[in-house]
Amino acid sequence: MSERWYKEAVVYCVEVDSFQDSNGDGCGDLRGLTSRLDYLSRLGVTCVWLNPIHPSPQRDNGYDVSDYYGIDPRLGTLGDFVELATQARQRGIRLLLDLVVNHTSDQHPWFQSARNDPGSPYRDWYVWSSEEPPDRRQGIVFPGEQTETWTFDNKAGQWYFHRFYDFQPDLNWSTRAVREEVKKIMGFWLQLGASGFRIDAAPFVLEQVTPGVDPGPLDFSILDDWRQDVQWRTADAVVLCEANVSPEELPKYCAAAPGGPNDRAHMLFAFGINARLWLALARGDAEPLVESLAALPKLAAMAQWATFLRNHDELDLSRLTDEQRNDVMREFAPKQDMRIYNRGIRRRLAPMLKGERRRIELAYALQFAMPGTPVLRYGEEIGMGEDLRLPGRESIRTPMQWDGSRSAGFSSASPAEFVRPILSRGAFAARLVNIGSERRDNGSLLRWFEQLIRVVRECPEIGVGEPTVLDLPLPRSVLVHRFDAPEGTILLLHNLADVAVTVDLRSVAGSEPPSEVFADADYGPLATKLTELDLHGWGYRWIRLRRGNRG
Ligand code: TEU
């Protein structure tokens, strides 16, 4: 049986305006991205997730949309989008789009109409209150940048609700017309070649907002509706929810009934694994991952985790205890300006791990060995760094470093005109860290990522199989887990500390001679009985125990 594409995908997240400029205006664009598809194809990615590409005042990196049916003119045209989709498809690469429909920009014509005219057909597309809501300073997502969730609008003469910034008024999902409109938006982009959507801020979309009730109850019928509609329009399109919620809540985003058919989102970001991975890395201790895998909520059979280490936002540690969070902060964000929102870190992975190559490899090997579909953010494959001089989350959105020149090969414009400055200082400057030089170096991180992705695509059991953590007496720093699936069985060893160990796994030897498919070093031939397995500090070994029905 051939598995579903999203279960075996490798997803790559692109900030279009920071990826590749094609017309010399200093801003990356869709044609630039299209011209780099061969690079992505060689890297091995099978799906590209685009951060928002719609017209927007750009006050929240495009997550403030002013027209859902258009393309931000800085990025190109609808024609350019279709060309991108066509060229991507020819290389076996699918496109996922960010669907940001919890809120619009306050500049969206719907909101402008709604606030200007109480009789506007768009008035009830937003959430209003005539009285000052008692909880208007609660439920803030961006402390330090946001002070309230209800703001008085002079023109409307009422308070409007905004979960995020005040320029992002929430859409009113109890209004039938809003639901219908968003289905049309999805249909539009599916027709143009998208393979699905990342549902931005999913829990907040579902939340029914009433003044004085925070948080409000969730209306999951919205997800039921989307799933049915998306699947009816395009059979293999997917819905990926960004739902940073408790493990108990998560399964509801995939299935209407616990253990029932996968009739809601196909994929969920694995926020729980994300925070635990960072904690395990900080402590050099496998325990947080053992616990996290053991407590992993069971999803519907066709539903899938999307794993990640870093994304375009802060690394959110809010679900860790204070002590755990402090450990991660101390290790990976020792300075105040590396932190944000009292809960997160605004850095990229390579500098967090001090550019320590073995540790970077271990971190990504671990992510790709977690149950689910790996998601990688642009630039991580070469070990890009952050620019802490940029405000807020902009620090991790600097242009892709294609070569070592002053413009980093990003654009032919003068660097002063670039949408964001090229990272030009420190150990991660484009001069030192770039694709050109890593391509020429067989031992580079980029080459390693090409190999990692190739291997993971040959190990479908990681995407589709059941994970089991081995319950054996092991050093605290070592995680040993396995995946069993009709596609095969694989055993994965990771050492989170920089201390070499030897482990005895004779009790797990399978019926076929084991073979090593990926490791941090050449450990020599494997004995049939897995006794005395060496593992270097920050080392990892992936050992296939059984080839499955892939032949
Ligand atoms: O983020 C939404 C979101 O829910 C997270 O910021 C979450 O609140 C955070 O991790 C705390 O738990 C999305 C986008 O990813 C972000 O870039 C936007 O700024 C935000 O929506 C508003 O659109």
Side-chain angles (χ1 to χ4, degrees):
M1 186 186 94
S2 99
E3 264 299 340
R4 300 187 176 192
W5 71 264
Y6 58 91
K7 290 205 159 194
E8 296 184 19
V10 175
V11 182
Y12 186 90
C13 171
V14 171
E15 199 96 62
V16 178
D17 67 0
S18 283
F19 201 61
Q20 177 69 64
D21 176 17
S22 75
N23 61 358
D25 66 355
C27 181
D29 46 42
L30 293 170
R31 291 172 70 169
L33 170 56
T34 308
S35 75
R36 293 298 190 179
L37 284 172
D38 288 322
Y39 166 77
L40 297 178
S41 174
R42 173 177 171 150
L43 180 57
V45 308
T46 60
C47 179
V48 173
W49 152 32
L50 305 177
N51 291 128
I53 55 173
H54 307 302
S56 157
Q58 293 293 330
R59 296 182 66 191
D60 181 17
N61 203 34
Y63 286 90
D64 47 336
V65 177
S66 56
D67 174 9
Y68 292 95
Y69 296 101
I71 299 282
D72 176 350
R74 299 177 313 142
L75 309 183
T77 63
L78 284 171
D80 294 335
F81 177 80
V82 172
E83 188 59 19
L84 168 68
T86 308
Q87 295 286 343
R89 184 67 61 131
Q90 276 175 25
R91 289 163 178 80
I93 297 176
R94 291 167 181 271
L95 301 181
L96 292 185
L97 296 186
D98 241 303
L99 186 74
V100 189
V101 291
N102 172 67
H103 47 268
T104 68
S105 160
D106 60 356
Q107 299 307 306
H108 197 294
W110 300 337
F111 187 69
Q112 287 303 322
S113 167
R115 65 191 286 243
N116 282 317
D117 174 8
S120 158
Y122 297 104
R123 184 76 164 198
D124 67 355
W125 285 38
Y126 294 88
V127 185
W128 302 99
S129 171
S130 317
E131 308 298 323
E132 177 177 342
D135 55 349
R136 78 177 174 90
R137 298 204 180 277
Q138 283 167 31
I140 282 163
V141 176
F142 302 128
E145 298 177 3
Q146 184 191 358
T147 54
E148 55 188 5
T149 48
W150 291 89
T151 294
F152 188 74
D153 183 72
N154 280 329
K155 282 221 173 105
Q158 285 189 315
W159 302 78
Y160 66 92
F161 179 73
H162 53 90
R163 174 58 69 194
F164 298 96
Y165 298 107
D166 60 2
F167 55 80
Q168 291 168 324
D170 273 40
L171 281 166
N172 182 355
W173 277 88
S174 61
T175 298
R176 187 89 241 137
V178 168
R179 290 192 178 213
E180 294 309 315
E181 186 71 29
V182 170
K183 284 195 276 187
K184 250 170 70 184
I185 292 166
M186 291 173 131
F188 179 82
W189 292 102
L190 290 174
Q191 283 289 338
L192 292 188
S195 284
F197 304 95
R198 168 197 181 264
I199 308 297
D200 183 59
F204 299 121
V205 177
L206 308 186
E207 185 183 8
Q208 296 168 295
V209 179
T210 324
V213 185
D214 185 60
L218 302 184
D219 178 1
F220 280 97
S221 72
I222 297 166
L223 266 181
D224 296 333
D225 217 20
W226 281 350
R227 171 61 185 261
Q228 274 184 24
D229 196 65
V230 161
Q231 223 81 99
W232 162 243
R233 290 171 191 263
T234 307
D236 62 353
V238 299
V239 171
L240 162 59
C241 274
E242 187 217 11
N244 188 359
V245 300
S246 70
E248 302 78 57
E249 281 291 299
L250 267 172
K252 297 182 196 161
Y253 287 78
C254 303
N262 177 203
D263 51 8
R264 289 178 179 163
H266 303 77
M267 292 207 271
L268 296 178
F269 279 109
F271 279 96
I273 293 181
N274 173 264
R276 293 299 175 130
L277 254 170
W278 281 104
L279 180 60
L281 287 168
R283 291 182 171 173
D285 182 352
E287 196 53 32
L289 282 171
V290 174
E291 281 170 14
S292 168
L293 290 174
L296 203 62
K298 200 154 169 45
L299 301 181
M302 287 304 157
Q304 177 80 340
W305 296 108
T307 64
F308 63 101
L309 276 165
R310 290 296 293 112
N311 60 17
H312 64 290
D313 288 330
E314 80 282 5
L315 165 60
D316 183 356
L317 303 170
S318 57
R319 286 184 188 279
L320 297 182
T321 65
D322 289 351
E323 193 193 351
Q324 294 170 335
R325 187 166 43 252
N326 288 340
D327 284 356
V328 180
M329 290 285 191
R330 213 177 6 254
E331 179 72 11
F332 298 129
K335 297 197 183 126
Q336 203 50 46
D337 71 342
M338 299 169 170
R339 305 177 184 179
I340 190 166
Y341 308 144
N342 307 321
R343 63 167 182 252
I345 298 179
R346 57 182 204 110
R347 307 188 72 191
R348 278 199 183 249
L349 181 136
M352 287 169 79
L353 302 189
K354 303 186 184 76
E356 184 75 57
R357 172 67 183 273
R358 289 178 304 125
R359 207 177 182 193
I360 295 171
E361 280 188 25
L362 169 77
Y364 274 110
L366 255 174
Q367 183 211 328
F368 279 58
M370 288 293 118
T373 296
V375 181
L376 185 68
R377 179 156 161 80
Y378 81 93
E380 287 294 300
E381 74 274 29
I382 54 170
M384 263 173 67
E386 73 271 346
D387 187 345
L388 293 173
R389 291 174 306 172
L390 299 182
R393 294 167 290 165
E394 292 292 289
S395 53
I396 52 167
R397 298 169 179 171
T398 56
M400 184 62 153
Q401 296 170 186
W402 296 101
D403 65 37
S405 69
R406 228 163 66 82
S407 69
F410 165 64
S411 165
S412 61
S414 141
E417 289 162 32
F418 286 6
V419 60
R420 294 183 192 90
I422 300 290
L423 189 59
S424 58
R425 300 207 298 196
F428 301 90
R431 193 165 32 84
L432 304 170
V433 174
N434 62 73
I435 290 162
S437 60
E438 294 199 25
R439 275 189 112 148
R440 291 187 294 274
D441 173 3
N442 278 332
S444 68
L445 185 63
L446 176 62
R447 293 286 193 194
W448 180 83
F449 260 104
E450 288 174 3
Q451 201 195 341
L452 169 71
I453 292 174
R454 206 152 43 229
V455 171
V456 102
R457 288 179 60 186
E458 285 173 352
C459 298
E461 56 269 55
I462 296 178
V464 306
E466 276 301 313
T468 316
V469 176
L470 269 63
D471 188 14
L472 294 170
L474 291 168
R476 274 192 85 85
S477 67
V478 177
L479 177 73
V480 180
H481 68 298
R482 62 187 282 167
F483 288 93
D484 293 275
E487 285 78 2
T489 296
I490 193 161
L491 186 67
L492 303 135
L493 284 67
H494 295 87
N495 181 6
L496 284 126
D498 192 16
V499 180
V501 293
T502 302
V503 296
D504 187 339
L505 299 180
R506 76 184 73 194
S507 59
V508 296
S511 50
E512 295 172 26
S515 68
E516 193 144 66
V517 294
F518 195 49
D520 64 295
D522 182 359
Y523 285 97
L526 270 180
T528 310
K529 292 251 174 271
L530 299 175
T531 52
E532 308 219 336
L533 284 171
D534 292 328
L535 203 49
H536 298 146
W538 290 329
Y540 53 88
R541 302 179 71 169
W542 294 10
I543 298 170
R544 164 151 287 131
L545 297 180
R546 180 178 57 85
R547 287 193 68 84
N549 61 12
R550 288 294 176 89

